[in-house]
Every structure is written in structure tokens, then in C-alpha cells.
Amino acid sequence: MSSVAFAAGHSKDIVDTAVEAGTFTTLVAAVEAAGLVETLKSEGPFTVFAPTDEAFAALPAGTVEGLLADPEALAAILTYHVVAGKVMSTDLSDGMTATTVNGADITIGTTNGVTVNGANVVTADIEASNGVIHVIDAVILPPM
């Protein structure tokens, strides 16, 4: 197993960066199940609000398994975690909204730390060759 730090040149794309981090195994499996790997390996740029494995584990029992069996619903949730363009934490302001790839808006909070629809950003600005990852502590769900 490699313990290579993130390269200064950000040679890895969002998917490879997430795989290498080792704390996004559920997210990576979900991206694969939803058929979004090629999209997130494309030129982008993308901003991904990436829930940790613990965030997925906090969902009600059976939720992840149900989503993995329903690629369309899974894709709708995953694309709600992605914004077109590269948005660094310094670009965020309290109350700003951003339209996700899903088509629905998310709301950013910057009071008492940065939040996305109430999920806390626990690590910001992990750069990749085709965008940036902000690690969040909860799975955010699009409006129904």
C-alpha cells in the first residue's frame, strides 16, 4: 500500500485522490455503482463535497445497501455532492447557494466553521488535477 502524499502538481484526479485517501471507500463504491467514475475522472473542474465512510455509516441501517441497488437514486444523491467548477474554501461566503450537478441548490454556511446544508466541512481544499474535494461529516440529501 502506498503512502504517497498528495502531489504538489495534483497529478491525481478526484477519483484517484479519494481512493488514495482511504477514508472514502463507501463513496468510491457508490460512485462506481452509479456509473459516475468516468465523469469524475473527466477534465472538470469539479468541486466535490465528499462524505467520509463514517458519514455513510451514520445513515439508517440498510440505506447504503438500498442505494447501491438503485443506481438512479444513488446518482441523484451523489451528483447533489458535486458542483461544476473549482470552488476553494476562500471562495465561500455565509448564505451563498450553489447549483449542484444534480440541478438542486446547496447552501453554504460560514458561521462556526464551514457547512454545506448543515454538514460540517472537516477538511477543505484537497486539490486534484480536475478540481477540489472538501470532506464533509454527513451525507446530504437533495430535496424530494
Side-chain angles (χ1 to χ4, degrees), residues 1-25 27-28 31 37 40-42 46 48 50-51 86 123-135:
M1 185 165 162
S2 170
S3 63
V4 177
F6 297 114
H10 315 299
S11 60
K12 295 186 184 315
D13 60 44
I14 286 171
V15 174
D16 291 340
T17 300
V19 167
E20 188 173 272
T23 54
F24 303 108
T25 54
L27 177 62
V28 171
V31 166
V37 171
L40 291 176
K41 283 182 156 292
S42 68
F46 301 105
V48 177
K86 184 176 180 180
T123 306
D125 300 335
I126 300 171
E127 293 190 71
S129 62
N130 62 342
V132 62
I133 298 170
H134 301 293
V135 182

Side-chain angles (χ1 to χ4, degrees), residues 9-92:
H10 315 299
S11 60
K12 295 186 184 315
D13 60 44
I14 286 171
V15 174
D16 291 340
T17 300
V19 167
E20 188 173 272
T23 54
F24 303 108
T25 54
T26 305
L27 177 62
V28 171
V31 166
E32 290 170 350
L36 297 172
V37 171
E38 290 309 310
T39 300
L40 291 176
K41 283 182 156 292
S42 68
E43 190 172 320
F46 301 105
T47 299
V48 177
F49 296 98
T52 60
D53 288 341
E54 291 80 12
F56 279 101
L59 292 171
T63 302
V64 172
E65 295 77 9
L67 288 172
L68 291 173
D70 187 349
E72 192 174 310
L74 183 60
I77 290 172
L78 293 175
T79 55
Y80 191 59
H81 290 77
V82 181
V83 174
K86 184 176 180 180
V87 183
M88 302 301 286
S89 62
T90 53
D91 300 325
L92 303 175

Side-chain angles (χ1 to χ4, degrees), residues 111-123 135-138:
T111 307
N112 301 321
V114 177
T115 59
V116 180
N117 282 20
N120 295 301
V121 174
V122 293
T123 306
V135 182
I136 57 176
D137 67 355

